[in-house]
Amino acid sequence: MFSCASFKMPKLFQRKQTHTNAPTSDVAVAPSSILKVSESRQYPKLKLPTELFALIIGINEYIHYKPHLSGAVKDANDIEHFLIDSMSVPPNHIKKLLNGDATKDRIIEEIQSLYTHRDIDKDRGDAILIYYAGHGARGAAPDGWSTPDGQIEMICPVDMSPSDAAEPRITGIPDIVLNELISQLAVQKGNNITVIFDCCHSSNGLRDIHVQPNVRVINKPPPLSGNWDNGIMQGRGKAARGEDPKQSLDCSVLLAACGREEKAGETLLGGLFTQCFLQQIEGLENIDMVQLSYNGLMRLLEFSPKQHPQCEGSKSNRYLFRKDTEDRSYIFGYKEDDKFVLEAGELQGIKPGAEFDIFGTNALSPDNRCRFRFQVDKVNGKTSYLSSITTPTSSDVPNQFYALQTSFTEEQKITVYCSDSDCTKLREVFLQHQSEFSGYATLVGTPDVATVLVSFEGDSMCFDWHEKNVITTHAGSRIGSPVPIKNKEDNETIRRVFQAVAKFNHYLHIEGADSRHIQLELHHMAIERQVIDGKPRAVRTPVGENLLNPEPAEIEIEEGKVLGPLVLTISNSSEKDLYLHVFWFDGRTLTIDPWYIGQRGAGLKEATASVDAPLRAGQKFPVGYGEVPVQPWEFLLEDGKPDIGFFKVFLATFNANVSSLAQASPFDTESDKERHGRRVKLAPVDWWATKMATVKQSVKGSSSAFDVKSKIGA
């Protein structure tokens, strides 16, 4: 992704600053001698393949709140300078609201104006940036809103009323409203959207009254009442996947200056997060900038344990402001003293003896060649420790590297059987790609011990599950579509199928500790009119019976129609705060689709890279509704065949990067692409587990329909 020698992580947090008009801050602040003055910065150049449009907001001087901030406007101007100088963004593509211009109405109007911006081309994949620097706040959530702790985060417009103001009053813009605005923007203009919030309480959506000059928080915002949402929530739900089936899992990538209960620091030179972000980019070479993803950017930022910048969104593996993505199969690693550490462990199914090839970057390029091969020596829940097979010296391996798993352990591999009449053809393919196949699959001489059966129909190879299990019982044994074997490109597809089968089978059966205290509920979603603060509001709400009670859920879908939107609720009755990631496993296409991917912290060290645990002890986590910026789910059976899939939740007391689990279907037919479900403080002892729910789908009224009564509409 980047050259490890091309940057140096600065120690931005050396001491605290105090001010005569404010108590000592509990946020570590960078000395002004550390942060460079932005006007002297020379950024690497990157010509984006599409256009970029930006809305930049910076507020120092609030009408009703003092003392004023000192660096937010400078942050906004510095971001504009960066876009023009490094990204070659035309100045007329940038809209800037500073101080008095950044009223609540103007902020909302400018976001909504992007919906119809005639120059933003959704099909072309144009990028959109929404940047905010100013105060953030937390307040009580209105009745009817689903939040983990009854609190809601918000950004503070310049005209926000005092906390004791009488009606009508101007409130902050809460994260749930911002999420709705971004969701609607994604429907209109695509999901190449980046949101950056350099304010306090910024991680979940998006600076007492003891406002200190070096923190960006308002402690007592006015309560959300009256016309708090400008009518936005009246249309809530229009961005659900049922209205735009091609809309992605979530709508944007969020970069937040700190956690939801933290304060964001600033100096006269600007916000610590923004200035560190810009300073790190300045230290890159042009080629490093091309291969910089959002996750990669976060690894460059080394912060104090008192402020934890966070990155959220399933598209965080995209390159900066582009729809191109780094290969999620690669796993990030780094050197720690003389040890080689992989940022993945038991939770990702890694076992001692597994082998990995080591690369300098994760770019999909012929120039990105394997440098070394390592073997896993020791594994814990979240990390693996590697030893070299090719015996490089420590100095030969980059300080930061990328690992691609090339071999499972023997017990993790799939076994493949082919009848005598077809075995010659299969062995020819295997022998041609022995090094690729041997890491994931083993040929066996009897079907009794086979995971997968291979057969031939003319010039095509077919794949079937052999084992009698819930997949074959309900949806039949066939995996995907027949694969032609006429040329070398077809052999590559066959290799991908075997690898995908092994990966799917392995990850589906990963189990950790006892997860009885985790409960899953799948419901239909309704747009309900609720009276909130005396006014009717539209709120996404789960309705009807829990489709997973009993499990497996058995649902019928009318032919040619879509079932959804559906939402998931995850309950935690334990005493542990948990991190979680949600995937959909499709039993016929081998797709592993991420529905919710947790946040990424800054830097590499545990103390600074930690992020908020989304599933609090004794609380619930909503997926597809509430304050979490994730779209609802839907099911579609276009070919009339029954299907089966699994929601699988990976849970841990530690934050783990599980994005490498995801995989696209190796089959290329349109029916295979469209048939699966779609997305309309650390504990003293590490703990991890998985929770899985099975969902059977069939066409209503067909011979393959279930005998049980459908729960649709319940």
Side-chain angles (χ1 to χ4, degrees):
M1 176 183 294
F2 45 79
S3 170
C4 300
S6 65
F7 70 93
K8 191 174 183 179
M9 292 185 178
K11 298 286 185 180
L12 294 183
F13 302 89
Q14 304 296 329
R15 61 177 174 84
K16 298 179 180 178
Q17 283 189 345
T18 58
H19 302 269
T20 57
N21 62 339
T24 301
S25 169
D26 59 356
V27 175
V29 176
S32 59
S33 61
I34 298 291
L35 295 176
K36 296 182 181 179
V37 178
S38 61
E39 286 76 5
S40 64
R41 288 184 176 147
Q42 298 296 320
Y43 298 112
K45 305 296 183 181
L46 176 63
K47 177 60 179 175
L48 296 174
T50 62
E51 301 294 326
L52 188 151
F53 299 81
L55 171 62
I56 300 175
I57 304 162
I59 308 173
N60 279 347
E61 301 175 1
Y62 282 79
I63 296 173
H64 302 292
Y65 296 92
K66 293 183 180 180
H68 295 314
L69 296 175
S70 57
V73 169
K74 182 177 183 301
D75 285 342
N77 290 330
D78 288 351
I79 289 292
E80 179 185 35
H81 170 65
F82 158 68
L83 293 178
I84 294 173
D85 187 51
S86 181
M87 302 283 108
S88 302
V89 176
N92 62 356
H93 283 194
I94 301 173
K95 181 70 176 182
K96 193 163 59 171
L97 300 179
L98 302 179
N99 288 329
D101 290 334
T103 64
K104 178 178 180 179
D105 287 345
R106 280 293 303 279
I107 292 173
I108 293 174
E109 287 171 4
E110 292 298 341
I111 294 176
Q112 291 176 323
S113 71
L114 297 171
Y115 299 175
T116 56
H117 197 302
R118 64 182 183 181
D119 294 330
I120 302 178
D121 192 323
K122 177 180 180 179
D123 296 333
R124 187 171 57 199
D126 287 351
I128 299 172
L129 168 65
I130 298 175
Y131 174 88
Y132 171 84
H135 278 312
R138 298 186 82 204
D143 292 339
W145 280 18
S146 297
T147 67
D149 56 4
Q151 296 286 302
I152 200 79
E153 285 70 51
M154 65 191 76
I155 63 172
C156 304
V158 69
D159 56 343
M160 189 173 79
S161 299
S163 59
D164 57 355
E167 291 278 17
R169 55 177 171 255
I170 300 172
T171 67
I173 307 176
D175 57 7
I176 202 166
V177 173
L178 289 164
N179 291 338
E180 184 64 19
L181 288 166
I182 301 302
S183 178
Q184 294 174 17
L185 176 60
V187 170
Q188 300 298 323
K189 296 298 182 180
N191 62 18
N192 189 7
I193 303 172
T194 304
V195 181
I196 303 177
F197 287 154
D198 196 342
C199 59
C200 294
H201 310 305
S202 56
S203 75
N204 196 55
L206 292 192
R207 274 180 181 220
D208 282 329
I209 291 276
H210 298 299
V211 179
Q212 302 173 15
N214 60 333
V215 294
R216 296 176 172 179
V217 62
I218 290 175
N219 276 352
K220 297 180 180 179
L224 296 175
S225 61
N227 189 28
W228 52 266
D229 71 343
N230 292 43
I232 295 164
M233 302 300 287
Q234 299 295 331
R236 190 152 178 78
K238 291 182 179 179
R241 292 197 49 92
E243 302 225 356
D244 187 0
K246 293 183 174 59
Q247 194 57 39
S248 301
L249 147 70
D250 60 20
C251 309
S252 62
V253 175
L254 168 68
L255 301 178
C258 61
R260 58 185 292 156
E261 297 180 6
E262 294 181 334
K263 297 177 181 180
E266 68 161 23
T267 70
L268 293 175
L269 293 177
L272 300 184
F273 175 69
T274 297
Q275 296 304 319
C276 184
F277 159 81
L278 293 174
Q279 185 168 318
Q280 289 298 346
I281 288 181
E282 182 190 18
L284 299 176
E285 303 292 339
N286 288 351
I287 184 62
D288 301 327
M289 189 67 178
V290 171
Q291 298 174 358
L292 182 65
S293 70
Y294 294 94
N295 285 331
L297 171 64
M298 295 301 289
R299 292 191 182 100
L300 295 178
L301 308 181
E302 186 174 354
F303 267 73
S304 161
K306 295 184 179 180
Q307 181 175 338
H308 298 88
Q310 305 185 16
C311 175
E312 184 174 12
S314 68
K315 302 298 183 292
S316 58
N317 63 313
R318 282 180 172 173
Y319 296 125
L320 219 59
F321 305 122
R322 287 170 289 165
K323 297 192 75 171
D324 300 327
T325 63
E326 59 188 13
D327 190 331
R328 286 185 295 196
S329 299
Y330 289 94
I331 299 174
F332 181 75
Y334 57 93
K335 286 197 300 190
E336 187 177 69
D337 299 326
D338 292 330
K339 298 178 181 178
F340 303 101
V341 184
L342 205 58
E343 204 178 64
E346 293 173 348
L347 182 62
Q348 293 86 347
I350 295 177
K351 301 284 187 180
E355 295 182 2
F356 287 83
D357 283 351
I358 302 302
F359 298 82
T361 78
N362 59 357
L364 296 173
S365 167
D367 297 330
N368 187 27
R369 297 179 180 177
C370 170
R371 300 187 181 185
F372 310 103
R373 177 159 290 185
F374 278 74
Q375 186 177 64
V376 177
D377 279 346
K378 184 175 66 173
V379 183
N380 58 35
K382 56 192 171 185
T383 52
S384 302
Y385 295 88
L386 309 176
S387 64
S388 174
I389 295 176
T390 53
T391 61
T393 63
S394 179
S395 59
D396 292 334
V397 182
N399 291 328
Q400 300 179 23
F401 55 84
Y402 292 88
L404 188 63
Q405 188 162 4
T406 54
S407 178
F408 283 162
T409 60
E410 287 301 320
E411 64 269 22
Q412 294 173 314
K413 295 178 182 179
I414 59 169
T415 50
V416 180
Y417 173 79
C418 189
S419 66
D420 292 339
S421 59
D422 290 330
C423 197
T424 301
K425 292 182 180 179
L426 178 60
R427 288 189 180 277
E428 288 178 359
V429 176
F430 256 83
L431 290 173
Q432 291 174 5
H433 301 272
Q434 181 66 29
S435 59
E436 293 95 337
F437 283 118
S438 61
Y440 298 97
T442 303
L443 285 175
V444 294
T446 172
D448 296 340
V449 295
T451 310
V452 176
L453 303 179
V454 172
S455 59
F456 288 83
E457 295 179 359
D459 290 329
S460 296
M461 184 182 291
C462 303
F463 306 86
D464 288 88
W465 295 109
H466 169 254
E467 299 169 337
K468 187 74 172 179
N469 54 34
V470 67
I471 297 177
T472 57
T473 300
H474 174 67
S477 62
R478 181 55 50 93
I479 306 172
S481 302
V483 177
I485 53 171
K486 296 180 179 179
N487 50 53
K488 293 182 179 180
E489 290 76 12
D490 297 329
N491 288 344
E492 172 61 21
T493 302
I494 293 169
R495 184 196 65 80
R496 291 201 311 268
V497 171
F498 280 118
Q499 183 176 342
V501 172
K503 186 175 178 180
F504 184 96
N505 193 61
H506 173 51
Y507 290 141
L508 183 66
H509 294 97
I510 288 176
E511 293 184 1
D514 185 356
S515 60
R516 285 177 296 178
H517 55 278
I518 304 298
Q519 296 80 39
L520 306 182
E521 298 179 39
L522 184 67
H523 289 94
H524 291 276
M525 187 198 80
I527 306 297
E528 286 193 349
R529 300 293 176 182
Q530 298 184 1
V531 177
I532 301 175
D533 295 323
K535 292 193 175 185
R537 305 293 180 191
V539 179
R540 289 184 190 175
T541 306
V543 295
E545 297 179 5
N546 176 12
L547 300 179
L548 298 176
N549 185 24
E551 192 193 336
E554 298 184 337
I555 57 179
E556 293 180 347
I557 306 170
E558 292 188 23
E559 188 168 6
K561 294 188 178 182
V562 170
L563 171 67
L566 300 172
V567 293
L568 190 68
T569 304
I570 306 169
S571 301
N572 177 13
S573 59
S574 77
E575 297 180 353
K576 302 181 180 74
D577 292 342
L578 299 175
Y579 297 89
L580 79 163
H581 313 268
V582 184
F583 290 84
W584 170 255
F585 284 67
D586 188 282
R588 292 189 59 187
T589 67
L590 304 179
T591 303
I592 306 175
D593 204 359
W595 193 4
Y596 172 80
I597 295 292
Q599 298 167 316
R600 164 81 206 183
L604 298 175
K605 296 180 180 178
E606 204 167 83
T608 60
S610 64
V611 299
D612 299 324
L615 183 56
R616 305 289 183 88
Q619 296 182 357
K620 297 182 178 182
F621 184 81
V623 184
Y625 68 104
E627 66 174 351
V628 180
V630 176
Q631 297 293 72
W633 196 269
E634 67 181 17
F635 292 107
L636 172 66
L637 296 179
E638 287 188 332
D639 57 7
K641 297 179 182 178
D643 209 345
I644 193 166
F646 311 86
F647 286 117
K648 188 156 188 175
V649 184
F650 291 77
L651 306 128
T653 54
F654 51 86
N655 191 32
N657 180 8
V658 299
S659 60
S660 62
L661 270 66
Q663 74 176 10
S665 173
F667 304 102
D668 295 328
T669 65
E670 288 302 316
S671 61
D672 286 321
K673 291 178 181 179
E674 293 294 325
R675 67 174 293 106
H676 57 82
R678 302 178 298 194
R679 295 166 302 262
V680 251
K681 254 176 204 168
L682 295 178
V685 178
D686 289 340
W687 175 98
W688 68 273
T690 63
K691 190 76 173 183
M692 190 163 70
T694 304
V695 180
K696 301 178 180 180
Q697 310 131 56
S698 65
V699 174
K700 190 173 183 178
S702 70
S703 59
S704 59
F706 306 106
D707 295 328
V708 298
K709 183 179 179 181
S710 169
K711 294 183 175 66
I712 297 178

